[in-house]
Amino acid sequence: MLGRKKEADKTKDLPLHIAMIMDGNGRYAKLKRRPRVHGHYEGMQNVKRITRHASDIGIKYLTLYAFSTENWSRPSAEVSYLMKLPGDFLGSFLPELIEKNVKVTTIGNMDDLPKHTIKAVAKAVDDTKDNTGLNLIFALNYGGRDELIQSFKSIHQDINDGKLKAEDIDDTLIQQYLMTYNIPDPEMIIRTSGEYRLSNFLLWQSSYSELFFTNTLWPEFGPDELDELIIQYRKRDRRFGGLNDKEV
């Protein structure tokens, strides 16, 4: 296992950015014969464990898919509980995040969230804005297709306003209009609970991400399993459409 940052550096560098689809809270609660909100509570406790570990081993960016644009279709009581979690989580965890030099940021349409959620997240973002350690990025009310639609609309508006020309559009320009414009693309995307899809998560940014799927439910996904997946990542040959030295 990786353990400390020093141990992690023995072979090759850690991934700069890990993104995680935290799936399986509801199934965890069902297995425990508890309400679904119990699974979400335990899932948020696991966010603390994984964040601590990612910070300790030297991960620079950790993006967590906390609430998607599609999650609004869930029962209203469940949505209300999910909207309380950021405040509860940050209220109890923010001092430790500050101590660990973690910087909190978000992607997604924050304006559509309840005021109490926006307030809690805004405080965490402001209180940690000068931190230089792990960048903890919460995807809240986020959807990959929605992100692309918004970026294309903004590009179209800037063309109409004379700020851009159509021939200026390339992958670099589109990147500048995304919610992740100042965040490197993830090298690793991990999905828990045995599902094999991205579910509208970082569609543009995942073009060359290494994908990892585990049957482990999110509340039970621990640091040891994260370490094991990082070890697997190191063994992969990342060619980005080209050839490696042996194939030339």
Side-chain angles (χ1 to χ4, degrees):
M1 298 304 168
L2 296 179
R4 298 166 298 178
K5 177 68 164 60
K6 180 173 65 176
E7 295 171 349
D9 287 340
K10 284 182 179 178
T11 53
K12 59 182 180 180
D13 291 341
L14 292 164
L16 182 67
H17 182 181
I18 298 175
M20 306 194 72
I21 302 172
M22 307 178 292
D23 197 16
N25 292 341
R27 275 166 280 182
Y28 173 85
K30 186 176 181 180
L31 286 172
K32 300 296 182 180
R33 298 183 179 180
R34 300 289 300 275
R36 285 180 61 84
V37 294
H38 173 74
H40 293 309
Y41 172 81
E42 291 298 332
M44 191 56 73
Q45 300 311 305
N46 197 40
V47 169
K48 295 180 181 180
R49 288 189 288 270
I50 295 301
T51 299
R52 290 186 187 107
H53 187 64
S55 176
D56 289 345
I57 65 174
I59 300 298
K60 189 62 178 175
Y61 296 87
L62 177 66
T63 298
L64 303 176
Y65 204 8
F67 191 86
S68 76
T69 51
E70 291 73 35
N71 286 156
W72 294 108
S73 64
R74 295 187 177 189
S76 58
E78 183 176 351
V79 171
S80 295
Y81 184 82
L82 289 169
M83 288 296 102
K84 286 178 55 181
L85 280 179
D88 293 345
F89 169 80
L90 293 168
S92 63
F93 198 38
L94 186 56
E96 184 175 342
L97 293 174
I98 294 172
E99 181 182 349
K100 283 185 169 293
N101 197 29
V102 173
K103 180 177 182 177
V104 177
T105 56
T106 65
I107 56 174
N109 293 313
M110 295 294 296
D111 292 343
D112 294 334
L113 299 177
K115 290 182 179 180
H116 61 84
T117 306
I118 296 172
K119 182 179 179 180
V121 173
K123 175 175 172 51
V125 169
D126 186 63
D127 287 356
T128 63
K129 66 180 184 297
D130 296 324
N131 290 353
T132 58
L134 171 69
N135 288 265
L136 178 60
I137 304 149
F138 288 104
L140 284 166
N141 195 26
Y142 172 85
R145 289 183 176 182
D146 180 64
E147 177 184 30
L148 290 172
I149 290 168
Q150 289 191 44
S151 69
F152 296 159
K153 285 181 177 179
S154 295
I155 291 171
H156 177 71
Q157 185 63 54
D158 283 349
I159 290 174
N160 284 344
D161 292 343
K163 298 177 182 178
L164 291 174
K165 297 178 181 179
E167 52 267 30
D168 294 331
I169 300 174
D170 58 15
D171 57 351
T172 300
L173 181 112
I174 292 172
Q175 177 70 31
Q176 294 170 2
Y177 282 78
L178 297 175
M179 297 174 183
T180 58
Y181 67 93
N182 59 344
I183 301 169
D185 292 344
E187 289 92 348
M188 293 180 69
I189 295 181
I190 300 169
R191 180 168 188 153
T192 59
S193 88
E195 303 292 347
Y196 293 85
R197 56 182 178 271
L198 290 177
S199 293
N200 202 19
F201 184 51
L202 299 178
L203 298 182
W204 177 276
Q205 300 86 344
S206 62
S207 296
Y208 283 100
S209 301
E210 299 295 326
L211 306 181
F212 297 84
F213 301 97
T214 173
N215 290 326
T216 306
L217 303 176
W218 171 250
E220 297 176 326
F221 181 89
D224 286 350
E225 188 165 1
L226 177 58
D227 286 350
E228 181 58 38
L229 293 181
I230 292 174
I231 290 170
Q232 291 181 31
Y233 162 81
R234 288 170 166 167
K235 295 176 181 178
R236 294 192 181 183
D237 183 12
R238 306 190 73 222
R239 292 174 292 178
F240 302 96
L243 300 177
N244 61 32
D245 294 339
K246 296 180 180 179
E247 295 173 316
V248 175

